[in-house]
Amino acid sequence: MIDLKQRFAEIRSRITEAARRAGRNPEEIELLAVTKTRELPELIEAWENGLRLFGENRVQEAVRKIAAWPPERRVQWRLIGHLQRNKARKALELFSRIDSLDRLELAFDLQRILSETGRKIDVLIEVNTSGEPSKQGVAPDGLDGLLEGVLQRCPNLTVRGLMTLGPLNADPGEVAASFSRLKDLRDRVSKEFGLEMPELSMGMSDDFEIAIEQGSTCVRLGRALFGPRE
Ligand SMILES: *Cc1c(COP(=O)(O)O)cnc(C)c1O
């Protein structure tokens, strides 16, 4: 069994330190445990160490885990990966927030399903700030169009903020620039559209401290908590 207790404490203190360096309150920063590829015993250990936010990036994988999860242990499940349109309904059954909305057709599908019951959910829009073609997310210059479509035609979706992945194998300056771009985008669109969009989900195991210095409100950690993935 992994020694999550100690890792968890270390990560918490690194988050606190990074927040302090940036003159921020560490309580503003959520820690989302990325549970992809991890099995139930590790998730339960994470829960026992105080983690209450779990992120999965595949619907198929999440179905199985969420079904097996002991319901008396309250957690929030968030989708952080690319969502295929034919899995939209399933995703809405499983997740309390979709952090990876990246295109209007998907927003319309979610809206149509949500309107059947009147349920509303929070979403984040995923932006490709690094320009890496392998990355999901709307291009920065597509953000306004996507946001406008959601605002006008998806009353059951509430956009709470933006999400991004930093560039891989980049130097810290480039990584910081990418996160800073996300924050600037958020500042601009929230002003132009008159929206409150407090959330900036950015920062993973290798770059979460940089992300916190750039204003992250949610770091998504897999390897830093659970160790390397197979
Ligand atoms: C896998 C994944 C993470 C976590 O990555 P680590 O490097 O293990 O911390 C965060 N966000 C997304 C969208 C992911 O797919």
Side-chain angles (χ1 to χ4, degrees):
M1 185 57 66
I2 49 164
D3 187 6
L4 188 61
K5 195 181 195 69
Q6 193 184 339
R7 281 214 199 111
F8 180 67
E10 277 166 19
I11 294 298
R12 267 283 168 221
S13 73
R14 285 172 62 188
I15 290 172
T16 304
E17 286 308 306
R20 295 253 159 79
R21 282 198 298 279
R24 303 183 54 204
N25 177 358
E27 315 245 304
E28 292 169 7
I29 300 149
E30 289 181 331
L31 171 52
L32 179 93
V34 176
T35 51
K36 66 182 179 203
T37 79
R38 314 295 171 175
E39 292 303 327
L40 213 53
E42 285 172 288
L43 271 61
I44 288 176
E45 204 186 353
W47 190 89
E48 282 169 352
N49 283 286
L51 288 157
R52 294 293 182 269
L53 292 175
F54 290 169
E56 284 282 335
N57 53 356
R58 289 215 180 92
V59 171
Q60 216 56 21
E61 186 180 337
V63 168
R64 185 172 55 77
K65 280 184 215 172
I66 296 175
W69 182 257
E72 68 282 3
R73 302 182 194 226
R74 305 285 303 260
V75 287
Q76 270 187 48
W77 298 91
R78 294 184 183 170
L79 180 68
I80 59 171
H82 186 67
L83 178 57
Q84 289 170 270
R85 294 178 63 188
N86 62 7
K87 301 222 169 75
R89 185 176 293 276
K90 196 75 211 170
L92 286 171
E93 284 168 25
L94 296 170
F95 296 101
S96 58
R97 202 171 87 179
I98 310 276
D99 287 2
S100 48
L101 181 67
D102 57 0
R103 59 210 193 280
L104 210 44
E105 310 83 73
L106 175 62
F108 293 157
D109 289 339
L110 294 169
Q111 171 59 33
R112 190 169 30 74
I113 299 163
L114 290 164
S115 69
E116 293 168 6
T117 59
R119 175 181 166 212
K120 295 191 173 187
I121 63 158
D122 289 347
V123 298
L124 303 184
I125 293 179
E126 180 175 359
V127 182
N128 183 348
T129 50
S130 67
E132 288 173 11
S134 61
K135 294 252 161 75
Q136 309 291 345
V138 64
D141 64 9
L143 176 61
D144 288 48
L146 175 49
L147 202 47
E148 208 169 284
V150 172
L151 287 174
Q152 287 175 356
R153 297 178 51 189
C154 305
N156 297 51
L157 298 179
T158 306
V159 180
R160 296 283 300 160
L162 304 179
M163 186 271 241
T164 200
L165 276 79
L168 286 179
N169 308 316
D171 66 66
E174 261 177 80
V175 176
S178 168
F179 293 148
S180 154
R181 218 167 291 139
L182 193 75
K183 182 171 188 296
D184 290 349
L185 275 172
R186 189 278 309 272
D187 292 348
R188 180 180 64 73
V189 294
S190 64
K191 203 162 152 205
E192 280 175 18
F193 289 85
L195 286 175
E196 221 192 309
M197 288 176 45
E199 308 289 341
L200 288 173
S201 173
M202 53 191 199
M204 318 199 320
S205 293
D206 295 327
D207 55 21
F208 70 94
E209 286 147 311
I210 301 175
I212 289 169
E213 289 167 11
Q214 299 300 325
S216 173
T217 61
C218 178
V219 293
R220 309 180 306 268
L221 304 184
R223 289 167 303 128
L225 289 172
F226 297 108
R229 276 184 294 275
E230 306 279 284

